Amino acid sequence: MSRGPRLKSVDLQIDARWIAPVVPAKVLEHHSLIVDKGRIIDLCPTARARLQYQAKQHHQLGESIVTPGFINLHNHAAMTLMRGVGSDLPLQQWLEDAIWPMENAQVSYEMVSLGARWSIAEMLTGGTTTFSDMYFYPDAVAEAALEMGLRCQLATPIIDFPTAWATDAADGISKTLALHDQYKHHSRVTIALGPHAPYTVSDETFTKLRTLADQLNLRIQCHVQETQSEVDDAIKAGGERPLQRLHRLGLLGPDFQAVHVVALNDDDIALLAETNSTAVTCPDSNLKLASGLARTRDLLAAGVNLCIGTDGAASNNDQDLLSEARNATLLAKGGSGDATAMTLQQTLQVMTLNGARALGLDDEIGSLEIGKAADMVAINLSDPFLKPLTDPLAAVFYTARACVDQVWIDGRLKAEQGRPAGVDVNALARDVQRMRKTMEKS
Ligand SMILES: [Zn+2]
């Protein structure tokens, strides 16, 4: 007498109407993701999964699309506490009159800790599973990320003048090295170097950072050419465009992440491409501060590793990578006059696999391939006004009716029905409101 095939016991099975694994760059229908011990062990038709696996947790999602977890490559998480400060001011005035005075008076470990938690809760709600942060007290952000289970790259702020966190660049560097030591064995926290911008960091400091990055295998993230006036001022002061200067100093390379890169000429784009540097676009922040439109079509066409970030909530005002990606896609097209400038699959790759490459984590995350960590987002497409629905990625990126439902990191459910699991959002919101009142009083 023959017995039926034994079902393999696994931790998690997710059946979805659609799955977009990024690699391969297509949308699979009626497939299942099989996860065991935090890793993807199979991606197969649901009909086959039923015959092979017995899952401890089984999600049958229906009208949803599952994608890799989103990677927000530029943020100042704690600035969620400054949401709405200095609305409608131009960039320099916004920084000098609104943001910097509040930061100088208010930034503390406690503030960063609360602001980071608030940002992480919102990022999770929007499907972000990995983020990069650049802010004072990065140890507070690391603790918040570890507690809430996200992956992060912490680009420690290195600036030549005193800040709430460090007295000067040398102090910032020594604190960075201590943090690197503290977190080097944590799989979810990576320490990187975060020189603020070419106009706040000297040649000498940049040279030191390059040496350190090489010695310790650290990545470098820097705001670069955010506005045309930044470029004009740099040329007036030193005869070089900021990217030319960074290249002369040896900064550009596969470990370098250039944020904003709005004011680019053809030579700048060629330089980023030749050096295999990463470019990070933050369209909402650039739009709100009227900095301009990044040439994302040309960056992609040149083969630059293009990623996306929300920037801090003071200039955005949200932490929603999906709406950021929607705007990036439309702006790539509208800004270039080319409807093929960023395809739906490219948009998805920009917010997943390209981010993983920038962080050096593309063997671990960024696509739903067998062997990778099970960082996944389920986006609900059941809104009736999405019908007729034949192209799920178009529904995700060209409408505001697609909504993030479940989020998993390492195969663990971290958000459901668009709310972070195990986080009292209302209590956090009350703390945030109270903290903001205190910040405004002094
Ligand atoms: Zn920024």
Side-chain angles (χ1 to χ4, degrees), residues 261-302:
V261 286
V262 168
L264 295 183
N265 65 17
D266 291 345
D267 290 343
D268 294 327
I269 293 174
L271 207 49
L272 289 168
E274 275 161 30
T275 55
N276 288 317
S277 301
T278 279
V280 186
T281 188
C282 304
D284 287 12
S285 174
N286 299 151
L287 286 171
K288 189 183 168 209
L289 294 167
S291 303
L293 302 184
R295 292 173 57 186
T296 46
R297 182 210 37 184
D298 300 334
L299 286 163
L300 284 171

Side-chain angles (χ1 to χ4, degrees), residues 74-76 134 223 226 259-260 282 311-312:
H74 183 64
N75 201 353
H76 312 282
M134 184 196 284
H223 299 102
E226 184 171 356
V259 179
H260 292 305
C282 304
D311 211 348

Side-chain angles (χ1 to χ4, degrees), residues 76-89:
H76 312 282
M79 292 183 90
T80 42
L81 292 174
M82 297 181 198
R83 205 190 307 267
V85 169
S87 292
D88 306 329
L89 293 178

Side-chain angles (χ1 to χ4, degrees), residues 234-350:
I235 293 171
K236 221 180 285 169
E240 283 171 308
R241 299 172 69 79
L243 276 170
Q244 279 177 330
R245 176 175 156 233
L246 291 172
H247 187 46
R248 173 172 57 76
L249 296 169
L251 266 287
L252 303 190
D255 57 4
F256 187 79
Q257 303 154 7
V259 179
H260 292 305
V261 286
V262 168
L264 295 183
N265 65 17
D266 291 345
D267 290 343
D268 294 327
I269 293 174
L271 207 49
L272 289 168
E274 275 161 30
T275 55
N276 288 317
S277 301
T278 279
V280 186
T281 188
C282 304
D284 287 12
S285 174
N286 299 151
L287 286 171
K288 189 183 168 209
L289 294 167
S291 303
L293 302 184
R295 292 173 57 186
T296 46
R297 182 210 37 184
D298 300 334
L299 286 163
L300 284 171
V304 174
N305 186 47
L306 181 70
C307 303
I308 188 166
T310 53
D311 211 348
S315 62
N316 186 315
N317 292 2
D318 63 39
Q319 306 278 276
D320 179 5
L321 208 66
L322 203 49
S323 69
E324 199 77 28
R326 182 175 302 130
N327 288 342
T329 312
L330 294 173
L331 287 168
K333 294 163 188 277
S336 66
D338 175 4
T340 69
M342 197 186 287
T343 64
L344 292 164
Q345 280 288 351
Q346 276 177 314
T347 303
L348 185 60
Q349 188 176 318
V350 162

